[in-house]
Amino acid sequence: MAATVSLKNVVKHYGPVPVVNGIDLEIQSGEFVVLVGPSGCGKSTTLRMVAGLEQISGGTIAIGDRVVNHLAPKDRGVAMVFQNYALYPHLNVRDNISFGLRLASLPRKTIEAEVERAATILELGAVLDRLPAELSGGQRQRVAMGRAIVRNPAVFLFDEPLSNLDAKLRTQMRAEIKRLHARLGTTVIYVTHDQLEAMTLADRIVVMRGGVIEQVGTPRDLFDAPASAFVAAFIGSPPMNLLPCTSALVGEQLQLVLGPDAALHLTAPEALALGGGRSLWAGVRPEDLHLQPGPDTQPLHAWVELVEPLGAESLVHLRIGDQTAIVRVDGRQAIAGDCAITLHVEMQRFYLFDRGGEKNSPDRCVYRDSRVCS
Amino acid sequence: MSREPVTDAQEPLLAVLRRDWMLYAMLAPALIWFGLFLYQPMWGLQIAFKDFSAFKGMAASPWIGFEHFATLFQNDQFLRAVGNTLTISLYSLVLASPVPILLALMINEVQSQGLRKSIQTVVYLPHFISVVILAGIVMAVLSPTTGLVNNALAAMGFDRSYFLTKPEWFRTIYISSNIWKEAGFDSIVYLAAIMGINPALYESAQVDGATRWQMIWRITIPSILPTIAVLLVIRLGNVLEVGYEYIVLLYQPATFETADVISTYIYRQGVQGARYDLAAAAGVFNAVVALVLVLGANKLSRRITKTGVF
């Protein structure tokens, strides 16, 4: 019983302080959408407005074909999983899961059946009589999800549900949430500041900054075609290297000056349209910087500062001119630290972003895939 | 040079004292206060078991065992005082304990910050009134000639009554005026406990469809139950400690029948009658019963709410 969710020009102010500035978002029935962004970007506020826990200051929120602006949370057909689990400490797992059903005065047999179903899905059968204090972090999170499942909501809302778990448990729970979504097929809106969670879970990611949506797209779209330097730096781990540079027209080429001894050249005719004298960010992902030359690479001199071996791969921290950058290389490749090196930039995967452009989009993408962005 | 971590268990006491002398120095005033004003006077309790004479002194007074206790339990006035103490305490426990909880719950429901702070100020203020002033207010309000209550009764056609001379009214007056004085201040602890409840619990319940009333019953009260239990343990420990100042100020021989409690009995025997040994025996009895009650209540609290004072 999944439902669509539609946000039209949704605005939220706390007094004179704007928190969400006119969000438009259409979420398909059964879709898994992740709202991601740094702290204070308005993602949790947006989720809470969908839940009905925050009044909206303007715009329209619709779930299914109903506008829910003035509906109480319980009447919206949503269930929410909170960051700190929000389990009632004095109730055991069974009573926590059935809390909402008991409030609705459903028949005892129905409640028992629903609790049983949730416990089976989440493998909580053995701990139904335990108090939350007697559970591990992962089990508590599953109980919180169980409480949401039994309400058979049209939309699941997750507010940073994994942020209190350790890295190993987070990976495990991420997989469980993905399996749960596949099994239930319910619409999910999931808030996180962790881009890895966003990438692995989402059908579509909504990147937010300063109360507005910066970009919406599939994880692949956002990774391959970031609309701005902000998105480029947010999606991907390690993030895209962004090096400040200045453009200059040199003959039939556009030269990008990264430092006294560091420059790249764009030879594609349309790159000339970018013009000289522009302040830009040169963007290149750590995996698109190579130690060996390729068919479409350009050399760049750098100084190795530090090597972080991660096993299958190593992260090499470099200095290019007076900028820092990271390169991802094969873990078996031996690289000495504190020495000069020549990098080869994969120009097919090279990006340029405005640096200090117009007010509304100061860092928009102006060049990628060897062509100027429209 | 790195140093092996040493646990306190392995370290000699003197070394610990030498290392952390500043911390112990800061602790010293509190320890000295406890020693001087709480433990040192206990030495004097021995006179409860002696035929104490101020002329002979404490050491030279002869031991007489439990004779004073036997005297006390054969004394109708003492037994009446024990009965009155228990009655007043238990009535207070039953009637006065829930009021701060209710007050805290009500204050917590006030949404306007300004209104909430005003209400808090108004209900906290009576706590800071001295019991002497309170007794004066009570006497003025209940005055048979000019008192508010009697004026109201007279206006409604009832006879005027001198409530403070009527034994059957003493407990009601004592307990209700005490509630008026202390309920607001006592609610601070409960309010703090309510403030400590995770707001997400309410939000989660809101999404689940709980009404405000259901949230109070199903979240707030169960969440502050450990605090209620701990305070109940403390109150039970003080069940025989009915404050004598206020009673001494309010009671008169006409109301001794219901107003005379252990502490006022000790006051009359010890201070007014100079029977220090008998008063000390009454005090020891009071303390032993209080200790048993505290231990019992703490055990009960641990069993029911898994929380205790110790």
Side-chain angles (χ1 to χ4, degrees):
Chain A
M1 196 191 59
T4 58
V5 178
S6 167
L7 285 80
K8 289 201 173 83
N9 196 25
V10 172
V11 175
K12 176 69 184 175
H13 295 274
Y14 288 118
V17 183
V19 181
V20 174
N21 290 319
I23 280 185
D24 290 297
L25 182 64
E26 295 292 333
I27 298 171
Q28 300 307 311
S29 178
E31 195 175 16
F32 198 127
V33 167
V34 176
L35 307 184
V36 71
S39 298
C41 71
K43 55 190 188 299
S44 282
T45 307
T46 304
L47 189 81
R48 290 167 62 80
M49 286 193 287
V50 174
L53 294 173
E54 297 280 356
Q55 289 291 312
I56 62 172
S57 308
T60 309
I61 297 177
I63 296 176
D65 50 8
R66 284 190 311 168
V67 172
V68 297
N69 286 15
H70 301 294
L71 287 186
K74 70 180 171 73
D75 299 322
R76 296 188 177 205
V78 299
M80 189 155 169
V81 177
F82 292 83
Q83 180 176 5
N84 52 17
Y85 322 125
L87 299 182
Y88 307 114
H90 53 283
L91 299 181
N92 63 22
V93 171
R94 186 189 307 279
D95 291 341
N96 259 292
I97 292 177
S98 63
F99 186 82
L101 306 181
R102 285 185 287 124
L103 286 180
S105 301
L106 292 185
R108 198 164 56 86
K109 280 198 184 315
T110 311
I111 294 175
E112 279 172 10
E114 282 297 323
V115 172
E116 198 61 39
R117 181 176 73 94
T120 308
I121 292 172
L122 297 163
E123 296 174 11
L124 287 169
V127 297
L128 281 176
D129 294 318
R130 286 199 203 159
L131 289 172
E134 298 163 345
L135 304 177
S136 67
Q139 285 171 324
R140 284 180 208 179
Q141 194 53 68
R142 286 211 294 271
V143 177
M145 287 197 280
R147 202 168 54 188
I149 288 173
V150 292
R151 297 191 65 230
N152 290 315
V155 182
F156 270 122
L157 306 173
F158 288 88
D159 188 7
E160 305 202 33
L162 307 184
S163 56
N164 287 351
L165 305 179
D166 62 46
K168 193 175 171 188
L169 207 51
R170 203 179 301 173
T171 310
Q172 190 186 326
M173 287 304 295
R174 223 165 44 212
E176 285 196 29
I177 289 174
K178 197 156 189 170
R179 270 199 295 274
L180 188 71
H181 176 246
R183 179 169 179 168
L184 301 175
T186 312
T187 310
V188 173
I189 308 178
Y190 186 107
V191 162
T192 181
H193 60 264
D194 181 347
Q195 63 86 30
L196 189 65
E197 261 173 60
M199 292 292 279
T200 51
L201 288 171
D203 293 328
R204 273 193 308 156
I205 296 175
V206 179
V207 182
M208 292 183 71
R209 171 166 66 162
V212 295
I213 292 177
E214 186 80 6
Q215 189 174 3
V216 183
T218 63
R220 193 77 248 166
D221 284 346
L222 264 59
F223 188 81
D224 288 341
S228 62
F230 174 80
V231 176
F234 207 86
I235 301 294
S237 177
M240 181 184 284
N241 295 302
L242 292 168
L243 307 168
C245 62
T246 311
S247 66
L249 284 168
V250 179
E252 295 298 305
Q253 292 184 334
L254 186 75
Q255 190 183 47
L256 300 166
V257 182
L258 300 164
D261 294 325
L264 294 167
H265 303 86
L266 299 183
T267 50
E270 60 175 305
L272 298 175
L274 290 172
R278 280 181 77 165
S279 291
L280 298 164
W281 294 104
V284 56
R285 294 211 176 269
E287 48 277 15
D288 298 326
L289 286 167
H290 307 294
L291 300 179
Q292 303 299 328
D296 189 16
T297 60
Q298 286 186 28
L300 208 53
H301 300 297
W303 186 267
V304 178
E305 288 195 324
L306 174 74
V307 180
E308 282 186 304
L310 302 177
E313 62 190 26
S314 294
L315 299 180
V316 183
H317 293 250
L318 307 155
R319 185 159 286 280
I320 300 169
D322 51 0
Q323 307 301 320
T324 55
I326 296 177
V327 179
R328 191 198 299 271
V329 297
D330 191 316
R332 283 161 296 195
Q333 194 155 359
I335 298 177
D338 210 17
C339 64
I341 195 171
T342 301
L343 291 172
H344 300 274
V345 182
E346 177 78 59
M347 296 309 289
Q348 291 286 337
R349 309 273 303 146
F350 179 76
Y351 300 79
L352 282 174
F353 302 95
D354 249 339
R355 184 155 59 99
E358 54 192 89
K359 194 183 171 192
N360 290 334
S361 53
D363 58 354
R364 70 191 173 87
C365 183
V366 293
Y367 180 86
R368 71 163 174 266
D369 298 333
S370 304
R371 67 182 66 165
V372 174
C373 299
S374 52
Chain B
M1 197 179 84
S2 68
R3 228 180 77 179
E4 282 294 305
V6 181
T7 62
D8 285 352
Q10 295 168 319
E11 223 170 340
L13 182 64
L14 264 178
V16 173
L17 286 175
R18 196 172 299 131
R19 192 191 60 204
D20 298 330
W21 70 269
M22 279 184 287
L23 298 176
Y24 289 102
M26 284 192 276
L27 187 64
L31 289 178
I32 292 169
W33 184 87
F34 268 99
L36 278 181
F37 296 103
L38 293 176
Y39 286 94
Q40 190 272 338
M42 281 191 202
W43 178 247
L45 289 179
Q46 60 179 289
I47 66 170
F49 306 94
K50 286 187 166 187
D51 183 13
F52 178 71
S53 160
F55 299 107
K56 291 179 188 168
M58 202 151 59
S61 297
W63 291 98
I64 54 165
F66 288 89
E67 202 174 294
H68 291 312
F69 293 91
T71 310
L72 281 176
F73 284 103
Q74 284 159 8
N75 183 324
D76 289 342
Q77 279 190 21
F78 178 72
L79 294 177
R80 185 185 65 188
V82 172
N84 283 340
T85 307
L86 288 172
T87 311
I88 289 178
S89 288
L90 291 175
Y91 278 174
S92 294
L93 208 62
V94 173
L95 299 171
S97 297
V99 178
I101 301 169
L102 289 173
L103 206 54
L105 291 172
M106 287 195 285
I107 291 171
N108 186 52
E109 291 303 309
V110 178
Q111 300 298 313
S112 154
Q113 283 294 316
L115 183 61
R116 176 193 282 215
K117 281 185 178 155
S118 306
I119 292 171
Q120 281 174 290
T121 308
V122 169
V123 298
Y124 295 166
L125 273 180
H127 169 79
F128 299 100
I129 294 173
S130 139
V131 283
V132 179
I133 308 285
L134 177 65
I137 292 171
V138 169
M139 283 175 196
V141 168
L142 297 175
S143 161
T145 50
T146 56
L148 198 71
V149 175
N150 273 308
N151 284 348
L153 286 174
M156 287 188 284
F158 294 101
D159 291 336
R160 288 177 182 273
S161 172
Y162 194 1
F163 293 102
L164 283 171
T165 60
K166 298 195 168 176
E168 67 271 24
W169 279 102
F170 184 83
R171 288 169 189 154
T172 310
I173 294 165
Y174 175 85
I175 291 167
S176 55
S177 56
N178 248 334
I179 290 175
W180 177 80
K181 186 175 186 303
E182 299 298 341
F185 199 74
D186 289 350
S187 71
I188 292 176
V189 181
Y190 297 110
L191 208 52
I194 291 171
M195 294 297 166
I197 299 171
N198 178 1
L201 296 185
Y202 293 104
E203 291 181 340
S204 174
Q206 209 181 333
V207 175
D208 279 344
T211 60
R212 288 305 305 174
W213 191 242
Q214 285 170 321
M215 287 187 210
I216 290 172
W217 273 111
R218 292 169 182 263
I219 300 172
T220 311
I221 292 177
S223 297
I224 63 169
L225 212 53
T227 308
I228 294 173
V230 167
L231 290 181
L232 194 69
V233 170
I234 295 169
R235 264 179 175 271
L236 271 176
N238 292 333
V239 86
L240 298 185
E241 294 286 331
V242 177
Y244 85 97
E245 304 99 326
Y246 188 40
I247 291 194
V248 163
L249 288 165
L250 277 188
Y251 81 165
Q252 42 192 294
T255 52
F256 275 8
E257 183 188 333
T258 53
D260 193 22
V261 294
I262 298 175
S263 52
T264 52
Y265 178 82
I266 293 171
Y267 168 72
R268 283 206 314 281
Q269 291 297 325
V271 179
Q272 293 180 331
R275 289 297 311 276
Y276 305 115
D277 44 7
L278 199 65
V284 168
F285 166 77
N286 210 2
V288 171
V289 176
L291 182 66
V292 171
L293 283 170
V294 167
L295 293 175
N298 193 60
K299 197 163 188 177
L300 195 69
S301 166
R302 280 206 167 280
R303 187 167 296 174
I304 297 171
T305 65
K306 310 227 176 334
T307 311
V309 180
F310 39 78

